[in-house]
Amino acid sequence: MSGPNSLTALDEATALLLAGIAAVAPSSLPLAEAIGCVLATPLQATAPVPPCPVARWDGWAIAAADTLGAGPYAPAVLPMPPPLLQPGEALPQGTDAVLPRPDLVRDGPFAQVLDAVAPGTGVRAPGEDAAAGTLLRAAGERLSPLDLPLLAALGVTEVAVRRPRLGWLAIGDEILADGVRDTLFAACAALAQAAGAALVRLPPAPDDAATIAAALRSGADGCDLLLAVGGTGAGARDVTATGLRSAGRLLVHGIGARPGMSAGFGAVGGQPVILLPGTPGDALAAWLLLARPALAALTDVPPAPPLHARLARKVTSTVGLVELAPLRRLADGRVEPVATGALPLHALASGAVLILPAASEGAEAGAEISMTLFRPDP
């Protein structure tokens, strides 16, 4: 990256990046491990849940017809105490209601009911939670913790998901000397997990092109996408792009976006490699503009519908560059830009960003805009 004239337009760069990425193969994971992962196949109810009439609450299983006409002065008398059920237990043959425990009066060998009970009282009908054939989750949706009770009731223990494995290669002499200075990993690991991927930390590499090339070859071998972080600028020690060129192919170095301008990408051994700048604001911008679309392609997730909001005040933009403007949510539901062309860390709390196209000069106060969120919707 030698200057503005060497920048690749973001649309062109994104298209080139995605052309080299295919969805990962499905794998089967236990339910607890698959939470948040993208489903590779639809989930359907193979049977009704519950499968038969079951008790809604603790109580006595009775036939409602046996209580017909019952009242305080003419109780219905049952010849023996009826079966006592726990919630979720199947009703015995010949019963169609569950009487709450206090509503049955025991009198020696007999049981009395003081009020008539309607059929179905205290009963959960077959298929109340889900009828057989109900689509629970479509392919491309993420498995939610709230899906687990119904899947457990169906006897499902594993699901097929697309879970990419991402490698994190931090680059810099300072990180090699003190790993605590790799401050971006935790945030990006959480973002990856929210997108249904796993981010694996690789041993860091120093500011040396040959060593970086060797680390890229080693790291790419076990990853679906490798993130090389740091050393992407134009300084004398910024040699990550040179290392990628030696290890495989450098396709783009420098994108027409601010922040994140020094980001780039290429491939090693057929595996995509994205170069993230080392500074947090630029790295997170490059994550949003490059890594997140790559993750969507790896998981075969359809584009999310835009989220709309109304601007509380005007925002201006430089024509020729895609610019990011972090947004602050106001109490009245509107949003206001906190900065333009920068991602101050204090402004990321809302997680909402306005991406201004390269041809845009900005947006006026009161305009309806489309927001992008760092974390995908569940």
Side-chain angles (χ1 to χ4, degrees):
M1 188 184 75
S2 57
N5 293 332
S6 66
L7 300 178
T8 302
L10 181 62
D11 288 348
E12 179 184 342
T14 305
L16 185 60
L17 171 65
L18 298 184
I21 296 178
V24 299
S27 60
S28 186
L29 287 181
L31 289 180
E33 295 180 31
I35 294 173
C37 292
V38 176
L39 294 165
T41 56
L43 289 181
Q44 288 185 298
T46 55
V49 179
C52 61
V54 299
R56 187 178 297 277
W57 51 59
D58 288 312
W60 310 94
I62 63 172
D66 291 342
T67 68
L68 190 63
Y73 300 105
V77 179
L78 305 179
M80 64 184 67
L84 184 61
L85 301 183
Q86 300 293 322
E89 282 192 279
L91 268 68
Q93 187 72 27
T95 65
D96 59 4
V98 178
L99 187 71
R101 295 184 66 168
D103 291 358
L104 187 89
V105 178
R106 301 288 297 272
D107 185 10
F110 298 99
Q112 296 183 349
V113 180
L114 303 183
D115 288 297
V117 178
T121 299
V123 177
R124 297 178 61 236
E128 184 175 308
D129 288 323
T134 300
L135 178 65
L136 308 178
R137 287 280 179 180
E141 292 188 295
R142 291 178 177 82
L143 187 71
S144 163
L146 299 180
D147 296 325
L148 269 55
L150 182 54
L151 293 176
L154 288 165
V156 176
T157 58
E158 295 187 344
V159 291
V161 298
R162 299 188 193 275
R163 190 187 191 198
R165 188 174 188 269
L166 278 56
W168 178 270
L169 176 62
I171 295 170
D173 293 340
E174 72 284 2
I175 293 176
L176 197 64
D178 183 6
V180 174
R181 300 188 66 174
D182 182 12
T183 57
L184 287 168
F185 175 77
C188 289
L191 291 172
Q193 183 177 20
L199 186 60
V200 179
R201 199 176 210 158
L202 304 175
D207 296 312
D208 176 76
T211 307
I212 291 170
L216 289 171
R217 293 189 195 99
S218 174
D221 185 51
C223 300
D224 300 301
L225 172 65
L226 181 57
L227 303 173
V229 189
T232 65
R237 297 171 60 192
D238 293 320
V239 292
T240 303
T242 302
L244 176 55
R245 186 182 291 111
S246 298
R249 290 183 299 155
L250 176 65
L251 298 175
V252 167
H253 184 206
I255 59 174
R258 188 166 57 190
M261 192 179 294
S262 68
F265 58 86
V268 174
Q271 298 300 99
V273 178
I274 294 179
L275 308 181
L276 297 182
T279 54
D282 287 87
L284 291 171
W287 175 280
L288 194 65
L289 299 174
L290 296 178
R292 199 167 77 158
L295 273 174
L298 287 167
T299 52
D300 198 24
V301 172
L307 296 174
H308 298 288
R310 197 164 297 279
L311 273 179
R313 61 181 177 84
K314 179 179 180 179
V315 58
T316 59
S317 178
T318 303
V319 175
L321 287 176
V322 170
E323 291 197 305
L324 275 61
L327 301 170
R328 178 188 295 123
R329 299 173 190 267
L330 303 179
D332 61 7
R334 296 180 301 164
V335 295
E336 66 175 2
V338 179
T340 305
L343 287 180
L345 298 186
H346 72 85
L348 295 177
S350 73
V353 178
L354 170 61
I355 299 178
L356 295 153
S360 172
E361 294 182 356
E364 297 294 331
E368 187 176 83
I369 54 131
S370 296
M371 299 186 300
T372 300
L373 300 181
F374 271 99
R375 289 177 61 91
D377 290 335

